[in-house]
Amino acid sequence: MPSLTVPPGAPPILQSLTVPPGAPPILQSLAVTLERMLVRILVLLYLAGAPALAQTLCQPNASNGYRVRISIKTALGNQAYEWNENEMFLFRATMAFAMRRYYKTETYNVDNIIVCNQTRRVSFWFVVISPENPTMLIPKADVEKAVSMSRHRINNAFLLTDRTLEFLGIYPTLAEPVNPDTPPWLIVFGVVIGAVFAGIIALLVSSLLQKRRKEKGMMEDGQDEEDRQMKGVENGINLDGIYNRGFTDDDRFTKL
Amino acid sequence: QAFYKLHAISLDSTMGKDAARAEWDNPMQFVLACVSYAVGLGNVWRFPYLCQMHGGGGFLIPYLLMLVLLGVPLFYMELAIGQKMRLGSIGAWRAINPYLGGVGLASVVTSMYLCLYYNVINAWSFWYLFHSFQSVLPWAECPVNSNLTGHVEECERATPTQYFFYRETLDISGSIEENGGIHMGQALCLLLAWMIVYLFIVKGVKSTGKVVYFTATFPYLVLIIYLIRGVTLHGAINGVKYMFTPKMEQLANPTTWINAATQIFFSLGLGFGSLIAFASYNQYNNNFEKQAIVVSMVNSSTSIFASIVTFSIYGFKATFNYESCLERVRLLLLNTFDLAEDTISLENVIHWIAELNRTHPEQFASLGGRLETCDLEAELDTAVEGTGLAFIVYSEAIKNMPVSQLWSVLYFIMLLLLGMGSMLGNVIAVITPLSDLKFISRYMSTKTLNGLVCLFCLLLGLGFTTHSGNYWFTMFNDYGATFSLLFIVLIEVITVCYIYGIKRFEKDVEDMLGHRLNCYWKIMLAGVSPILLIALFIFYIVNYIQGGTPTYQAWNKELGKSVVTEYPPYAQAFIGLLLASSVCCIPLTALYTYCKKRNLASGKRERTVSTVSA
């Protein structure tokens, strides 16, 4: 006659149901049936009670819970999807994934993420319960670290960003600034100043060459000097005199 | 009369006037040079501000009136002097009247101050231009702080564009007293700016004449592109409507008329000696009358054109900020009252505010100070001028445009061309009189002189790249050239019309142009312009005295905004020195010439006595 192995966590009433080995067969089968029923009832009660238990764990402003706010229409506009139970399931699954990733275990499941107080805004509270002990909540700090670690994956699962999928209280870490070895402006500056410098040198050299060519041309025929002197040019100043205002008449020029 | 002939010849030889004076290749180069000089940064950043301050479209009435009464006649007079005397400002004024040669010297001193600080603006334009070649414009976002938790505090309190200008571009200190070191990036950009100026003027008008084809025309191309982009921006029409709605009551305000007059005056660049220098390279018979009218008209129409562009950009920026404000309020309401996302849209935010206040008063009260009031008019009213407009407001608008890097590059290239074009005029105003002086032209060539002037201005200009450099820049900008110019041009007009004589001036013009002076010019030059100038001059003095201690805007890094601070005593003394140094040239030179003439006359008498006795 098989004897029911009583589960270790079972209440004492079940444990007292072990049938003594010398009992008649009818009594034994009755005990078995009774045990099975009791177990089923207990399981049913447990299952019914668990959400109630969980509900008490998840509350707005719970000490270990976070509030999530989702703005799908702001992020996606015309391509926004509707927030329904399936999306909520995905959220819970993603959070379980984040917890698994953080603790590096495979014990977390969708049931461990409890959600409550959903509003039309699409905002809700969630808490994480430990897979080993359903009455124990994972502390806030650990949840925060888990979320921060997988934030990018969580955002991408919903096609949202840090701004449109908000965990109130968890601040997104900003991207590290990219510091190139040479600042890009210095490169453009170098190119421009090099070009300008080359331009200046080119102009100076070309005018120097022009002057030397002119000087060589002048030295070859020295007659030019005398010609210039005859024209009355000395030191580059025209000595022909200038038109002197003092000798003009005050009258208007007469037209011929 | 014989004495006069000798005197005239000796004057010419001391001036070093030679028949082979450089000339523009064709009159078009001269016109473009004048346009390039007159159309500068002031057209872009001062005129739109004045337009907004003084009643939008209505401001055009005093502006155009002052153009006709004051701007064009004085422009004409300066061109006439330059073309007739064929010398820079010092030589030209000495030739007109030896006692008033100081007018030319004062012009050179003022131009020198302008050269020192104006190129710093070009350095800033280069800095912004080079920083536009990045995937994200550096003034679009605040940089992250060292532990990656948030943004830099100073940037959070101010805006990213202000932070980029005051902290990363200038690295500004808290007040004019804290000097700090030189900002290396700024110094490099200033070096580049001066090298480009040298490249443009190294061969005198031969090189300048070719450069002005580009610097005068390309800004218009960019302005047209920006106009098309500007008016197609979302919300631009708000700005343009705001600007052109005339508020006629502003015409009763005397400040409107005074600002119109000063804007015309400074925009055309009168009194610096640049116009005299440019005109001195003209052919003797060049028709400067037509050119004077053309350049003045072009300058004013560019101002109006640029203000349409500016106001469409303003309208875009104001609409963008207004809609961002509405978006923030919408989110705040959605989050506080937990409503579904599509219940409140941008259009009915205001309606919902009233609704929610009525239905949930206690919850609404809990919002408290977080609820902002969004006002489009207030956004449009934030009128800014000067470097604040060009580098902060404009770059803020640009960062919100699509393909912002392209627009940024185009915009700063336009600023650079406008600034460089004006710089050419400023530097030529200093170099032409110096190269006319015989003792300089004997010892060094034009290239060396140009190089030395550029180097000198660069070294002194490095002072504006220090941490407090922007405060010194503002001081030079506000006091270096404003008051002294009015005085210089007033003396110029009185000299030409009354001391030299309007009749002699008329004859000179007839000699050059071939026809007599129109009575419009005669009335304006001899009557209306001097009266207007005297009125402006008196107004400036009264304003300065009434203004009390001069103040400046110091950037406070804790508050993230500018605070009004008084100048310390030594800075006020420096302001006085700036004003006095150019103005005093006139009486001092008159005194010097008087003393020299007395010595010369007494020396001649001695010599004549000795020959007779011998």
Side-chain angles (χ1 to χ4, degrees):
Chain A
M1 183 96 22
S3 63
L4 282 172
T5 42
V6 179
I13 193 169
L14 257 184
Q15 282 171 350
S16 59
L17 273 177
T18 43
V19 180
I26 265 187
L27 217 62
Q28 279 181 357
S29 58
L30 202 66
V32 163
T33 337
L34 268 173
E35 275 181 42
R36 280 204 183 118
M37 269 176 64
L38 264 173
V39 166
R40 272 198 211 113
I41 290 169
L42 276 169
V43 165
L44 272 170
L45 274 174
Y46 181 70
L47 278 177
L53 185 70
Q55 274 312 102
T56 51
L57 289 173
C58 172
Q59 274 174 15
N61 301 316
S63 55
N64 279 325
Y66 276 105
R67 186 166 182 204
V68 177
R69 190 149 60 205
I70 298 186
S71 319
I72 309 174
K73 292 203 176 60
T74 316
L76 301 172
N78 283 339
Q79 296 164 344
Y81 50 81
E82 204 197 303
W83 187 262
N84 50 25
E85 276 308 308
N86 297 336
E87 305 288 343
M88 186 56 90
F89 181 78
L90 178 59
F91 177 78
R92 292 165 69 203
T94 322
M95 286 311 300
F97 162 76
M99 299 307 295
R100 282 194 183 196
R101 208 158 158 246
Y102 177 63
Y103 282 119
K104 299 190 179 49
T105 65
E106 289 174 13
T107 51
Y108 280 87
N109 231 321
V110 179
D111 303 326
N112 301 123
I113 314 292
I114 305 172
V115 169
C116 56
N117 242 55
Q118 188 171 335
T119 65
R120 284 179 303 162
R121 172 69 179 85
V122 191
S123 72
F124 48 85
W125 285 84
F126 78 93
V127 290
V128 183
I129 54 176
S130 157
E132 290 87 33
N133 184 355
T135 50
M136 197 180 78
L137 292 177
I138 304 289
K140 206 163 176 170
D142 290 338
V143 175
E144 176 173 347
K145 289 197 198 102
V147 167
S148 301
M149 197 165 116
S150 309
R151 189 65 188 265
H152 188 63
R153 301 292 296 273
I154 301 173
N155 286 349
N156 278 349
F158 292 95
L159 307 174
L160 297 174
T161 65
D162 282 343
R163 262 193 344 108
T164 40
L165 171 60
E166 297 168 76
F167 287 84
L168 299 186
I170 303 179
Y171 296 108
T173 40
L174 302 161
E176 174 121 3
V178 179
N179 274 332
D181 295 325
T182 19
W185 78 269
L186 211 52
I187 300 172
V188 187
F189 170 80
V191 168
V192 175
I193 205 171
V196 171
F197 192 65
I200 292 178
I201 300 287
L203 276 179
L204 288 177
V205 164
S206 77
S207 59
L208 202 69
L209 285 177
Q210 245 180 8
K211 212 171 34 171
R212 241 185 245 156
R213 235 181 285 135
K214 232 196 272 184
E215 275 176 20
K216 244 205 300 191
M218 292 248 271
M219 281 203 294
E220 274 165 15
D221 31 23
Q223 299 213 20
D224 285 344
E225 275 298 320
E226 292 174 37
D227 288 334
R228 281 171 75 223
Q229 284 233 337
M230 278 190 5
K231 278 197 215 139
V233 175
E234 191 174 57
N235 287 341
I237 302 172
N238 199 341
L239 288 177
D240 284 331
I242 52 139
Y243 182 62
N244 190 344
R245 291 247 149 260
F247 291 112
T248 50
D249 299 315
D250 280 357
D251 303 318
R252 227 186 284 195
F253 295 129
T254 49
K255 285 200 164 59
L256 288 169
Chain B
Q1 282 205 342
F3 174 70
Y4 180 76
K5 182 177 180 181
L6 271 168
H7 185 64
I9 292 182
S10 70
L11 250 183
D12 289 338
S13 51
T14 46
M15 287 299 104
K17 198 165 87 167
D18 50 350
R21 188 178 181 80
E23 279 184 358
W24 301 104
D25 286 337
N26 53 52
M28 186 51 130
Q29 282 187 359
F30 167 65
V31 172
L32 286 178
C34 287
V35 166
S36 176
Y37 169 65
V39 173
L41 295 168
N43 299 67
V44 170
W45 74 31
R46 175 106 176 124
F47 182 77
Y49 167 77
L50 286 178
C51 227
Q52 185 174 21
M53 286 274 94
H54 297 294
F59 183 71
L60 289 179
I61 297 175
Y63 183 73
L64 292 174
L65 202 62
M66 287 298 167
L67 175 70
V68 166
L69 293 179
L70 194 66
V72 180
L74 291 174
F75 198 83
Y76 177 90
M77 180 188 79
E78 291 220 356
L79 289 189
I81 292 169
Q83 192 167 308
K84 171 82 188 118
M85 300 302 166
R86 314 202 77 205
L87 289 171
S89 48
I90 298 181
W93 289 103
R94 231 194 289 189
I96 287 180
N97 186 318
Y99 289 104
L100 289 171
V103 174
L105 195 61
S107 292
V108 171
V109 169
T110 316
S111 282
M112 177 61 93
Y113 291 149
L114 194 70
C115 279
L116 285 177
Y117 80 81
Y118 201 83
N119 226 5
V120 176
I121 305 173
N122 289 333
W124 294 340
S125 301
F126 271 120
W127 173 270
Y128 270 81
L129 175 67
F130 295 148
H131 276 85
S132 308
F133 290 97
Q134 290 176 10
S135 53
V136 174
L137 291 176
W139 55 86
E141 305 171 333
C142 279
V144 263
N145 61 12
S146 41
N147 44 3
L148 297 183
T149 49
H151 298 293
V152 174
E153 274 177 29
E154 190 181 348
C155 192
E156 289 278 319
R157 285 186 220 115
T159 60
T161 39
Q162 280 179 321
Y163 177 79
F164 184 75
F165 183 63
Y166 287 112
R167 186 54 48 216
E168 299 202 16
T169 310
L170 301 175
D171 202 1
I172 208 166
S173 64
S175 72
I176 200 170
E177 287 123 356
E178 305 157 24
N179 276 328
I182 293 182
H183 187 289
M184 275 325 290
Q186 285 302 305
L188 287 176
C189 289
L190 188 65
L191 170 69
L192 176 64
W194 275 112
M195 276 175 70
I196 291 187
V197 170
Y198 182 62
L199 177 69
F200 288 165
I201 59 165
V202 68
K203 277 184 146 184
V205 277
K206 288 295 170 206
S207 54
T208 312
K210 298 199 178 36
V211 163
V212 291
Y213 279 115
F214 186 66
T215 59
T217 51
F218 196 73
Y220 285 100
L221 182 66
V222 178
L223 270 176
I224 290 174
I225 295 175
Y226 250 94
L227 181 71
I228 299 174
R229 169 76 275 203
V231 296
T232 52
L233 285 170
H234 169 63
I237 199 71
N238 294 335
V240 178
K241 240 191 319 186
Y242 185 79
M243 173 189 149
F244 279 113
T245 331
K247 300 185 193 70
M248 286 303 185
E249 60 273 10
Q250 280 287 334
L251 287 183
N253 183 2
T255 321
T256 309
W257 296 86
I258 289 168
N259 278 342
T262 42
Q263 174 61 16
I264 284 285
F265 188 80
F266 293 125
S267 178
L268 285 173
L270 303 165
F272 285 106
S274 312
L275 297 170
I276 297 180
F278 280 148
S280 70
Y281 297 112
N282 272 343
Q283 302 258 0
Y284 190 69
N285 296 101
N286 178 46
N287 184 0
F288 63 90
E289 180 173 351
K290 202 172 59 169
Q291 291 166 344
I293 298 175
V294 163
V295 173
S296 316
M297 294 299 167
V298 166
N299 181 49
S300 295
S301 5
T302 311
S303 289
I304 299 172
F305 183 51
S307 60
I308 299 179
V309 177
T310 304
F311 271 92
S312 52
I313 307 263
Y314 256 158
F316 166 70
K317 179 181 103 67
T319 311
F320 187 87
N321 287 349
Y322 173 67
E323 287 183 353
S324 306
C325 174
L326 282 181
E327 176 69 24
R328 285 193 299 272
V329 169
R330 170 181 166 266
L331 268 177
L332 182 65
L333 289 177
L334 284 179
N335 293 347
T336 319
F337 294 95
D338 277 326
L339 307 163
E341 264 183 290
D342 44 5
T343 40
I344 309 183
S345 71
L346 281 183
E347 284 84 42
N348 48 19
V349 169
I350 312 217
H351 159 75
W352 270 99
I353 292 177
E355 176 83 20
L356 288 167
N357 196 3
R358 198 173 45 86
T359 49
H360 303 85
E362 342 72 40
Q363 223 178 343
F364 196 83
S366 74
L367 279 177
R370 286 182 297 156
L371 190 68
E372 304 172 57
T373 38
C374 302
D375 187 1
L376 185 60
E377 280 278 323
E379 291 280 342
L380 284 171
D381 259 338
T382 53
V384 188
E385 60 160 338
T387 52
L389 170 63
F391 293 106
I392 298 178
V393 171
Y394 251 97
S395 44
E396 192 175 316
I398 287 173
K399 77 169 197 244
N400 296 324
M401 292 184 197
V403 199
S404 44
Q405 290 84 357
L406 169 70
W407 299 109
S408 179
V409 167
L410 266 182
Y411 172 68
F412 289 110
I413 286 182
M414 179 187 76
L415 278 193
L416 271 174
L417 286 172
L418 290 174
M420 279 298 170
S422 301
M423 246 341 257
L424 286 180
N426 297 334
V427 171
I428 287 183
V430 173
I431 286 179
T432 308
L434 286 182
S435 62
D436 288 335
L437 293 176
K438 192 160 177 251
F439 66 86
I440 288 185
S441 63
R442 212 197 322 210
Y443 291 123
M444 53 176 106
S445 66
T446 39
K447 292 186 199 46
T448 326
L449 175 67
N450 295 352
L452 282 178
V453 169
C454 289
L455 187 66
F456 177 70
C457 291
L458 169 66
L459 291 174
L460 284 186
L462 284 177
F464 294 108
T465 58
T466 57
H467 291 270
S468 58
N470 190 40
Y471 301 129
W472 291 101
F473 168 85
T474 315
M475 183 200 287
F476 268 74
N477 194 22
D478 289 339
Y479 299 104
T482 44
F483 177 80
S484 18
L485 272 187
L486 281 173
F487 187 66
I488 289 171
V489 178
L490 182 61
I491 302 287
E492 280 186 10
V493 164
I494 293 177
T495 308
V496 168
C497 294
Y498 298 107
I499 301 180
Y500 185 71
I502 192 86
K503 284 221 170 344
R504 261 166 77 186
F505 182 69
E506 220 176 328
K507 246 188 305 241
D508 291 339
V509 169
E510 196 176 355
D511 195 45
M512 284 192 285
L513 291 182
H515 62 258
R516 286 213 100 170
L517 208 60
N518 210 338
C519 53
Y520 159 74
W521 301 113
K522 274 193 279 195
I523 297 172
M524 293 304 153
L525 278 176
V528 180
S529 305
I531 295 173
L532 278 174
L533 281 172
I534 291 174
L536 275 180
F537 191 69
I538 292 174
F539 168 77
Y540 252 89
I541 297 179
V542 165
N543 212 23
Y544 187 75
I545 295 173
Q546 272 187 340
T549 330
T551 58
Y552 66 103
Q553 301 267 15
W555 177 256
N556 185 324
K557 70 190 273 193
E558 277 84 46
L559 293 176
K561 60 193 189 101
S562 301
V563 286
V564 175
T565 328
E566 275 185 4
Y567 277 116
Y570 69 86
Q572 292 181 35
F574 193 78
I575 293 177
L577 188 67
L578 273 181
L579 293 173
S581 57
S582 45
V583 165
C584 284
C585 289
I586 301 177
L588 286 177
T589 319
L591 200 66
Y592 171 74
T593 319
Y594 176 71
C595 292
K596 207 167 75 160
K597 276 206 180 337
R598 242 195 358 187
N599 288 343
L600 202 68
S602 58
K604 256 206 172 77
R605 247 181 280 123
E606 281 173 23
R607 265 192 278 121
T608 45
V609 165
S610 60
T611 45
V612 161
S613 60

